[in-house]
Amino acid sequence: MLEQLAHIGRDPETGGYVRDAWSEADLELREWFAGEAGRRGLALREDRNGNLWAWWGAPSPERPGVVTGSHLDSVRQGGAYDGPLGVVSAFAALDLLRERDVTPSVPLGVACFSDEEGARFGVPCAGSRLLTGMLPPERALALTDDDGDTLADVLKRAGRRPDRLGRDDETLAAVGTFVELHVEQGRGLVTEGRPVGVAGAIWPHGRWRFDFRGRADHAGTTRLADRDDPMLPLARMVLAAREAAERRGVVATVGKVRVSPGNANAIPGLASAWLDTRGADEDAVRALVAELSEVCAGAEVREESWTPVVTFDTGLRDRIARAAGGDTPAPILPTGAGHDAGILAAAGVPSAMLFVRNPTGVSHSPGEHAEQADCEAGVVALADVLEELCR
């Protein structure tokens, strides 16, 4: 199944993937998901926020199901495993359960969440945030991509109804438990010497936009003393973020910058930078942003997304660690990466995560990788977990 997806949205020059939400690549991936569901006789449903659900059995509020899955969109120039491994493994685990002649006592679902990465509109886990009511639909619909198109515009072109976006209690009531398998985005399992692990908690994390306004002018005729160049405070912010992160024991990244009007021979009038910061201590993360806001006193700063610390239910976590670990429970690891499982857990849905070993720890990059044997071990572990939960 991973080979079937390998060409979709792939950049032939870099080997990376560009699978923005609601792009042609994303729509092709959705068709693939629908086809896999159909081949297995699963009932396919798209909820009001564009998330896809493939059900073995009919869930209801009185009989909610066990759901597994992940997402198929990517960061720009991302890898082949972040997201798709969880969806592919979900279908493969279902196949394995059928080979074992397991008939779940509750409905079993495979989910594909929409716009998990937030690469196009800037808000990560948008599909699950809308589903749970954490992202107001009026804010979501007004989000714009780099071309100036709003999410409302894009949804209309994709044949969806923007007016339907919002918290979906009917869909939420169908999910009794959610388990997401994901390639590890670090080297914890390499250190542990194990192919599969379990998430214990997700660090608090957020994204902020800093707008630095200056005065557009000519690059050759304007004296240095007469310039109001917004790139200078932006550069100071990037350096200050690194220094503050080291001092406070968190991580901070400026991975996106937009300069307007963007002429090589002109001083820009506006420079925007996006700060991503995460850490085990929420207060330290917040303090870093406050410090940078003081350092950049002339900048306009606004929060685009925030996710508090997510600690997965310890009873469910330990049960899954035992089911996934064979003779020895799977190791429990923290993570600094955000996931749909974390959004559902924060909304009160019992949720857990399995990680598959990443030999280099590289992620959000074409260098992202997982060995075939470890992927297969992940499928077996996921099937064992689902069998345990579906009794």
Side-chain angles (χ1 to χ4, degrees), residues 16-383:
Y17 288 88
V18 180
R19 294 167 169 169
D20 285 357
W22 303 107
S23 64
E24 289 186 13
D26 188 40
L27 294 174
E28 187 175 353
L29 291 164
R30 288 169 169 271
E31 286 298 316
W32 173 87
F33 183 93
E36 293 301 309
R39 274 187 279 280
R40 291 167 175 81
L42 307 179
L44 181 67
R45 179 174 178 265
E46 181 174 322
D47 69 22
R48 56 193 294 179
N49 299 297
N51 305 305
L52 299 175
W53 308 82
W55 285 103
W56 179 8
S60 66
E62 297 75 27
R63 191 169 175 259
V66 173
V67 181
T68 185
S70 191
H71 63 96
L72 292 173
D73 65 305
S74 74
V75 297
R76 290 169 182 174
Q77 299 299 332
Y81 295 85
D82 179 356
L85 181 62
V87 176
V88 164
S89 296
F91 283 126
L94 187 149
D95 295 342
L96 185 53
L97 291 179
R98 288 177 169 175
E99 289 178 15
R100 295 175 180 176
D101 292 325
V102 173
T103 301
S105 61
V106 297
L108 179 59
V110 177
C112 176
F113 286 97
S114 177
D115 199 4
E116 193 269 355
E117 296 291 2
R120 185 171 187 178
F121 295 102
V123 177
C125 299
S128 55
R129 289 180 191 271
L130 283 163
L131 168 68
T132 57
M134 292 183 183
L135 176 60
E138 57 273 14
R139 183 192 168 204
L141 291 170
L143 294 171
T144 57
D145 63 13
D146 291 343
D147 296 323
D149 290 328
T150 66
L151 176 59
D153 297 331
V154 171
L155 288 174
K156 288 176 184 176
R157 287 202 296 266
R160 270 64 176 185
R161 288 179 51 190
D163 62 302
R164 297 192 69 237
L165 257 63
R167 181 179 169 91
D168 190 338
D169 289 316
E170 179 183 355
T171 297
L172 280 172
V175 185
T177 306
F178 179 65
V179 181
E180 181 173 4
L181 180 144
H182 205 280
V183 66
E184 189 189 4
Q185 294 168 294
R187 301 185 76 252
L189 289 171
V190 174
T191 301
E192 294 282 348
R194 300 285 294 275
V196 179
V198 175
I202 297 176
W203 285 358
H205 54 280
R207 188 178 297 176
W208 288 262
R209 175 173 173 167
F210 286 67
D211 285 330
F212 300 88
R213 298 190 182 277
R215 186 183 70 250
D217 214 332
H218 196 286
T221 61
T222 310
R223 297 187 309 166
L224 292 179
D226 295 335
R227 298 183 180 206
D228 183 5
D229 186 348
M231 291 300 290
L232 299 181
L234 186 154
R236 285 193 287 270
M237 186 273 274
V238 174
L239 295 173
R242 175 60 180 262
E243 189 275 331
E246 290 177 339
R247 180 162 28 86
R248 296 183 182 278
V250 300
V251 294
T253 306
V254 178
K256 179 181 178 180
V257 173
R258 185 183 297 160
V259 181
S260 177
N263 298 315
N265 58 353
I267 301 162
L270 172 66
S272 302
W274 280 260
L275 171 74
D276 181 302
T277 184
R278 313 167 187 229
D281 185 330
E282 179 174 324
D283 290 340
V285 174
R286 289 288 192 181
L288 180 145
V289 178
E291 179 179 337
L292 289 184
S293 298
E294 291 184 6
V295 170
C296 308
E300 301 170 19
V301 183
R302 62 179 180 269
E303 182 180 296
E304 290 199 339
S305 68
W306 171 254
T307 303
V309 63
V310 174
T311 301
F312 291 107
D313 179 87
T314 54
L316 177 62
R317 179 201 68 192
D318 293 345
R319 184 180 177 191
I320 285 176
R322 290 191 297 270
D327 296 334
T328 306
I332 296 173
L333 307 168
T335 179
H339 301 282
D340 292 308
I343 301 299
L344 294 184
V349 177
S351 303
M353 291 194 70
L354 293 176
F355 290 134
V356 170
R357 179 167 50 194
N358 180 335
T360 65
V362 172
S363 187
H364 282 188
S365 156
E368 184 178 84
H369 183 64
E371 296 291 339
Q372 178 76 10
D374 289 349
C375 293
E376 292 173 356
V379 169
V380 172
L382 180 59

